[in-house]
Amino acid sequence: MRQLLLSSLVMLSLMPAAASWQVGLDLRCIDSAFMGAVRIDGEASWRSEDLRLTMPLRISISLTHELGFAETGLIVSVYPFEDQGFFIGASMARVGLFWGLEAPSDPLMLFSEIIAGWTFSFPWFFIEPRLSILDAFASEEGRIGELKEAVPQYSKIRISLIAGIEIP
């Protein structure tokens, strides 16, 4: 973990100064009000030209089960086509923590995520439709199945709409 943090800091220090910060929320989480659970997905990103480092923060709480789940990590995304907005990315580190009476005996979960989407940037804000594949290497299928039962909008494949502000 220390090497990952050190590598990230070195990459940040070598990047050009024309960078921006982004903070956004997944608007698709509004559907959680109708599904017996609350899910809030947010993220903070640092972007420089064709590279973006994202730290997601996601919280899921079941209203029908005694189960909660919080997750964070580091996602590295690249924009392979200059000024087109298309990006692909993968999680470098992803960790989740269960809590509640129905939480698994091992509350810590390490897993992966692959994302692809388009970023539409406007002055001071952005909109980003995105496709995410959670646990792409199927290392935590059983516990993700339990989480999906408690939080219905938690799925292995998710279409999101991230909206937020961009600070140049």
Coordinates of all heavy atoms in Angstrom, one line a residue, residues 22-30 32 38-46 52-60 69-75 93-95 113 115 126 128 130 132 154 158 160-165:
Q22 N -11.9 17.5 -10.1 CA -13.3 17.2 -10.4 C -13.9 16.6 -9.2 O -13.3 15.7 -8.5 CB -13.5 16.3 -11.6 CG -13.0 16.8 -12.9 CD -13.0 15.7 -14.0 OE1 -12.9 14.6 -13.7 NE2 -13.2 16.2 -15.2
V23 N -15.1 17.0 -8.8 CA -15.9 16.4 -7.7 C -17.3 16.1 -8.3 O -17.9 17.0 -8.8 CB -16.0 17.3 -6.5 CG1 -16.8 16.7 -5.4 CG2 -14.6 17.6 -6.0
G24 N -17.8 14.8 -8.2 CA -19.0 14.5 -8.8 C -19.8 13.5 -8.0 O -19.3 12.8 -7.1
L25 N -21.1 13.4 -8.3 CA -22.0 12.4 -7.7 C -22.7 11.6 -8.8 O -23.0 12.2 -9.9 CB -23.1 13.1 -6.9 CG -22.7 13.8 -5.6 CD1 -23.8 14.6 -5.0 CD2 -22.2 12.8 -4.6
D26 N -23.1 10.4 -8.5 CA -23.8 9.5 -9.5 C -25.3 9.9 -9.4 O -25.9 9.5 -8.3 CB -23.5 8.1 -9.2 CG -24.1 7.1 -10.2 OD1 -24.8 7.6 -11.1 OD2 -23.9 5.9 -10.1
L27 N -25.8 10.5 -10.4 CA -27.3 10.8 -10.4 C -28.2 9.6 -10.4 O -29.3 9.7 -10.0 CB -27.6 11.7 -11.5 CG -26.8 13.1 -11.6 CD1 -27.3 13.9 -12.8 CD2 -27.1 13.8 -10.3
R28 N -27.6 8.5 -10.8 CA -28.4 7.3 -10.9 C -28.8 6.7 -9.5 O -29.6 5.9 -9.4 CB -27.7 6.2 -11.7 CG -28.5 5.0 -11.9 CD -28.4 4.3 -13.2 NE -29.3 3.2 -13.2 CZ -28.8 2.0 -12.8 NH1 -27.6 1.7 -12.5 NH2 -29.7 1.0 -12.8
C29 N -28.1 7.2 -8.5 CA -28.4 6.8 -7.1 C -29.7 7.2 -6.6 O -30.2 6.8 -5.6 CB -27.3 7.2 -6.2 SG -25.7 6.4 -6.4
I30 N -30.4 8.1 -7.3 CA -31.7 8.6 -7.0 C -32.7 7.4 -6.9 O -33.6 7.4 -6.1 CB -32.2 9.7 -7.9 CG1 -31.3 10.9 -7.7 CG2 -33.6 10.0 -7.7 CD1 -31.5 12.0 -8.8
S32 N -32.4 4.7 -5.6 CA -32.3 4.0 -4.4 C -33.5 4.4 -3.4 O -33.9 3.6 -2.6 CB -31.0 4.2 -3.6 OG -30.9 5.6 -3.2
V38 N -30.4 2.6 0.5 CA -29.8 3.9 0.1 C -28.4 3.7 -0.4 O -27.6 3.0 0.3 CB -29.8 4.8 1.4 CG1 -29.1 6.1 1.0 CG2 -31.2 5.1 1.9
R39 N -28.1 4.2 -1.5 CA -26.8 4.1 -2.1 C -26.4 5.5 -2.5 O -27.1 6.2 -3.3 CB -26.8 3.2 -3.3 CG -25.4 3.1 -3.9 CD -25.3 2.1 -5.0 NE -24.0 2.3 -5.7 CZ -23.5 1.3 -6.4 NH1 -24.0 0.1 -6.5 NH2 -22.3 1.5 -7.0
I40 N -25.2 5.9 -2.1 CA -24.6 7.3 -2.4 C -23.3 7.0 -3.0 O -22.4 6.4 -2.4 CB -24.6 8.2 -1.2 CG1 -26.0 8.4 -0.6 CG2 -23.9 9.5 -1.6 CD1 -26.0 9.1 0.7
D41 N -23.1 7.4 -4.3 CA -21.8 7.3 -4.9 C -21.2 8.7 -5.2 O -21.9 9.5 -5.9 CB -21.9 6.6 -6.3 CG -22.3 5.1 -6.1 OD1 -22.5 4.7 -5.0 OD2 -22.2 4.4 -7.1
G42 N -20.1 9.0 -4.7 CA -19.4 10.2 -5.0 C -17.9 9.9 -5.3 O -17.4 8.8 -5.1
E43 N -17.3 10.9 -5.9 CA -15.9 10.8 -6.2 C -15.2 12.1 -6.4 O -15.8 13.1 -6.7 CB -15.7 10.0 -7.5 CG -16.3 10.6 -8.7 CD -16.2 9.7 -10.0 OE1 -16.3 8.5 -9.9 OE2 -15.9 10.3 -11.0
A44 N -13.9 12.1 -6.1 CA -13.0 13.2 -6.3 C -11.9 12.8 -7.3 O -11.4 11.7 -7.2 CB -12.4 13.7 -5.0
S45 N -11.6 13.6 -8.3 CA -10.6 13.2 -9.3 C -9.7 14.4 -9.6 O -10.0 15.5 -9.4 CB -11.3 12.9 -10.6 OG -12.3 11.9 -10.5
W46 N -8.5 14.0 -10.0 CA -7.5 14.9 -10.5 C -7.2 14.5 -11.9 O -6.9 13.3 -12.2 CB -6.2 14.8 -9.6 CG -5.1 15.7 -10.1 CD1 -4.9 17.0 -9.8 CD2 -4.0 15.3 -11.0 NE1 -3.8 17.5 -10.4 CE2 -3.2 16.5 -11.1 CE3 -3.7 14.2 -11.6 CZ2 -2.1 16.5 -11.9 CZ3 -2.5 14.2 -12.4 CH2 -1.8 15.3 -12.5
R52 N -6.3 10.5 -15.6 CA -7.1 10.9 -14.5 C -7.0 9.9 -13.3 O -7.0 8.7 -13.5 CB -8.6 11.0 -14.9 CG -9.5 11.5 -13.7 CD -10.9 11.7 -14.1 NE -11.5 10.5 -14.6 CZ -12.8 10.4 -15.0 NH1 -13.5 11.5 -15.1 NH2 -13.3 9.3 -15.4
L53 N -6.8 10.4 -12.1 CA -6.8 9.6 -10.9 C -8.0 10.0 -10.1 O -8.3 11.1 -9.8 CB -5.5 10.0 -10.0 CG -4.2 9.8 -10.7 CD1 -3.1 10.2 -9.8 CD2 -4.0 8.3 -11.1
T54 N -8.8 8.9 -9.8 CA -10.1 9.1 -9.1 C -10.1 8.3 -7.8 O -9.7 7.2 -7.8 CB -11.2 8.6 -10.0 OG1 -11.2 9.3 -11.3 CG2 -12.6 8.8 -9.4
M55 N -10.6 9.0 -6.8 CA -10.9 8.3 -5.5 C -12.4 8.3 -5.3 O -13.0 9.3 -4.9 CB -10.2 9.0 -4.4 CG -10.3 8.2 -3.1 SD -9.5 9.0 -1.7 CE -10.8 10.1 -1.1
P56 N -13.0 7.1 -5.5 CA -14.5 7.0 -5.3 C -14.8 6.8 -3.8 O -13.9 6.3 -3.0 CB -14.9 5.8 -6.1 CG -13.7 5.0 -6.1 CD -12.5 5.9 -6.1
L57 N -15.9 7.3 -3.4 CA -16.4 7.0 -2.0 C -17.9 6.6 -2.2 O -18.7 7.4 -2.7 CB -16.3 8.2 -1.1 CG -16.9 8.1 0.3 CD1 -16.1 6.9 1.0 CD2 -16.7 9.3 1.1
R58 N -18.2 5.4 -1.8 CA -19.5 4.8 -2.1 C -20.0 4.2 -0.8 O -19.3 3.5 -0.1 CB -19.5 3.8 -3.2 CG -19.0 4.4 -4.5 CD -18.9 3.4 -5.5 NE -18.5 4.1 -6.8 CZ -17.7 3.5 -7.7 NH1 -17.2 2.3 -7.5 NH2 -17.3 4.2 -8.7
I59 N -21.3 4.6 -0.4 CA -21.9 4.1 0.8 C -23.2 3.4 0.4 O -24.0 4.1 -0.3 CB -22.1 5.2 1.8 CG1 -20.7 5.7 2.2 CG2 -22.8 4.7 3.0 CD1 -20.8 6.9 3.1
S60 N -23.5 2.2 0.9 CA -24.7 1.5 0.6 C -25.3 1.0 1.9 O -24.6 0.4 2.7 CB -24.5 0.3 -0.3 OG -23.9 0.7 -1.5
F69 N -22.5 -1.1 3.7 CA -21.2 -1.3 3.0 C -20.7 0.1 2.6 O -21.4 0.9 2.0 CB -21.5 -2.2 1.8 CG -20.2 -2.6 1.1 CD1 -19.3 -3.4 1.6 CD2 -20.0 -2.2 -0.2 CE1 -18.2 -3.8 1.0 CE2 -18.9 -2.6 -0.9 CZ -18.0 -3.4 -0.3
A70 N -19.4 0.3 2.9 CA -18.7 1.5 2.4 C -17.5 1.0 1.6 O -16.8 0.1 2.0 CB -18.3 2.3 3.6
E71 N -17.1 1.8 0.6 CA -16.0 1.4 -0.3 C -15.3 2.6 -0.8 O -15.8 3.7 -0.9 CB -16.4 0.5 -1.4 CG -17.4 1.2 -2.3 CD -17.9 0.2 -3.4 OE1 -17.1 0.0 -4.4 OE2 -19.0 -0.2 -3.4
T72 N -14.0 2.4 -1.0 CA -13.2 3.5 -1.6 C -12.0 2.8 -2.4 O -11.9 1.6 -2.4 CB -12.6 4.5 -0.6 OG1 -12.0 5.6 -1.2 CG2 -11.6 3.8 0.4
G73 N -11.2 3.6 -3.0 CA -10.0 3.0 -3.7 C -9.4 4.1 -4.6 O -9.5 5.3 -4.3
L74 N -8.7 3.6 -5.6 CA -8.0 4.5 -6.5 C -8.2 3.9 -7.9 O -7.8 2.8 -8.2 CB -6.5 4.6 -6.2 CG -5.6 5.4 -7.2 CD1 -6.0 6.9 -7.1 CD2 -4.2 5.2 -6.9
I75 N -8.7 4.7 -8.8 CA -9.0 4.3 -10.2 C -8.1 5.2 -11.1 O -8.1 6.4 -10.9 CB -10.5 4.5 -10.6 CG1 -11.4 3.6 -9.7 CG2 -10.7 4.2 -12.0 CD1 -12.8 3.9 -9.8
A93 N -6.5 0.0 -6.6 CA -6.8 -0.5 -5.3 C -8.2 -0.3 -5.0 O -8.8 0.8 -5.3 CB -5.9 0.2 -4.2
R94 N -8.9 -1.3 -4.4 CA -10.3 -1.2 -4.1 C -10.6 -1.9 -2.9 O -10.3 -3.1 -2.8 CB -11.1 -1.7 -5.3 CG -12.6 -1.4 -5.3 CD -12.8 0.1 -5.4 NE -14.1 0.4 -5.4 CZ -14.8 0.6 -6.5 NH1 -14.3 0.5 -7.6 NH2 -16.1 0.9 -6.4
V95 N -11.2 -1.3 -1.9 CA -11.4 -1.9 -0.6 C -12.8 -1.5 -0.1 O -13.3 -0.4 -0.3 CB -10.3 -1.5 0.4 CG1 -10.4 0.0 0.7 CG2 -10.5 -2.3 1.7
E113 N -12.4 -3.1 -10.3 CA -13.4 -2.5 -11.1 C -12.8 -2.0 -12.4 O -11.7 -1.5 -12.4 CB -14.1 -1.3 -10.4 CG -15.1 -0.6 -11.1 CD -15.7 0.6 -10.4 OE1 -15.0 1.2 -9.5 OE2 -16.9 0.9 -10.6
I115 N -13.8 0.5 -15.8 CA -14.8 1.5 -16.2 C -14.5 1.9 -17.6 O -13.3 1.9 -18.1 CB -14.8 2.7 -15.3 CG1 -13.5 3.4 -15.2 CG2 -15.3 2.2 -13.9 CD1 -13.6 4.7 -14.4
F126 N -19.1 19.1 -15.4 CA -19.0 18.0 -16.3 C -20.1 17.0 -16.1 O -20.7 16.9 -15.1 CB -17.6 17.3 -16.2 CG -17.5 16.5 -14.9 CD1 -17.7 15.2 -14.9 CD2 -17.1 17.1 -13.7 CE1 -17.6 14.4 -13.8 CE2 -17.0 16.4 -12.6 CZ -17.2 15.0 -12.6
E128 N -20.9 12.8 -17.1 CA -20.1 11.6 -17.6 C -21.0 10.4 -17.5 O -21.1 9.8 -16.5 CB -18.9 11.5 -16.7 CG -17.9 10.5 -17.1 CD -16.7 10.5 -16.2 OE1 -15.8 11.4 -16.4 OE2 -16.6 9.7 -15.3
R130 N -21.2 6.5 -17.8 CA -20.2 5.5 -17.6 C -20.7 4.1 -17.4 O -21.8 3.9 -16.9 CB -19.5 5.9 -16.3 CG -18.4 5.0 -15.8 CD -17.9 5.3 -14.4 NE -17.4 6.7 -14.3 CZ -17.0 7.2 -13.2 NH1 -17.1 6.6 -12.1 NH2 -16.4 8.4 -13.2
S132 N -19.6 0.5 -15.7 CA -18.7 -0.1 -14.7 C -18.9 -1.6 -14.6 O -20.0 -2.1 -14.6 CB -18.9 0.5 -13.3 OG -18.8 1.9 -13.4
Y154 N -27.2 -2.5 -6.3 CA -25.7 -2.9 -6.3 C -25.6 -4.1 -7.3 O -26.0 -5.2 -7.0 CB -25.3 -3.3 -4.9 CG -23.8 -3.1 -4.7 CD1 -23.3 -1.9 -4.2 CD2 -22.9 -4.0 -5.2 CE1 -22.0 -1.7 -4.0 CE2 -21.5 -3.8 -5.0 CZ -21.1 -2.6 -4.4 OH -19.8 -2.4 -4.3
R158 N -22.9 -1.9 -14.0 CA -23.7 -0.7 -13.7 C -23.5 0.4 -14.7 O -22.4 0.7 -15.1 CB -23.3 -0.2 -12.3 CG -24.1 1.0 -11.8 CD -23.8 1.3 -10.4 NE -24.4 2.5 -9.9 CZ -25.6 2.7 -9.5 NH1 -26.4 1.6 -9.4 NH2 -26.0 3.8 -9.0
S160 N -23.9 4.4 -15.0 CA -24.0 5.5 -14.1 C -24.0 6.8 -14.9 O -23.6 6.8 -16.1 CB -22.7 5.6 -13.2 OG -22.6 4.4 -12.5
L161 N -24.5 7.9 -14.3 CA -24.4 9.2 -14.9 C -23.8 10.1 -13.8 O -24.5 10.5 -12.8 CB -25.8 9.7 -15.3 CG -25.8 11.1 -15.9 CD1 -24.9 11.1 -17.2 CD2 -27.2 11.6 -16.2
I162 N -22.5 10.4 -13.9 CA -21.8 11.2 -13.0 C -21.9 12.7 -13.4 O -21.7 13.0 -14.6 CB -20.3 10.8 -12.9 CG1 -20.1 9.3 -12.7 CG2 -19.6 11.6 -11.8 CD1 -20.6 8.8 -11.4
A163 N -22.3 13.5 -12.5 CA -22.4 15.0 -12.7 C -21.6 15.7 -11.6 O -21.7 15.3 -10.5 CB -23.8 15.4 -12.8
G164 N -20.9 16.7 -12.0 CA -20.2 17.4 -10.9 C -19.5 18.7 -11.4 O -19.8 19.2 -12.5
I165 N -18.7 19.2 -10.5 CA -18.0 20.5 -10.9 C -16.6 20.2 -11.2 O -16.0 19.2 -10.8 CB -18.1 21.5 -9.7 CG1 -17.4 20.9 -8.4 CG2 -19.5 21.9 -9.4 CD1 -17.3 21.9 -7.3

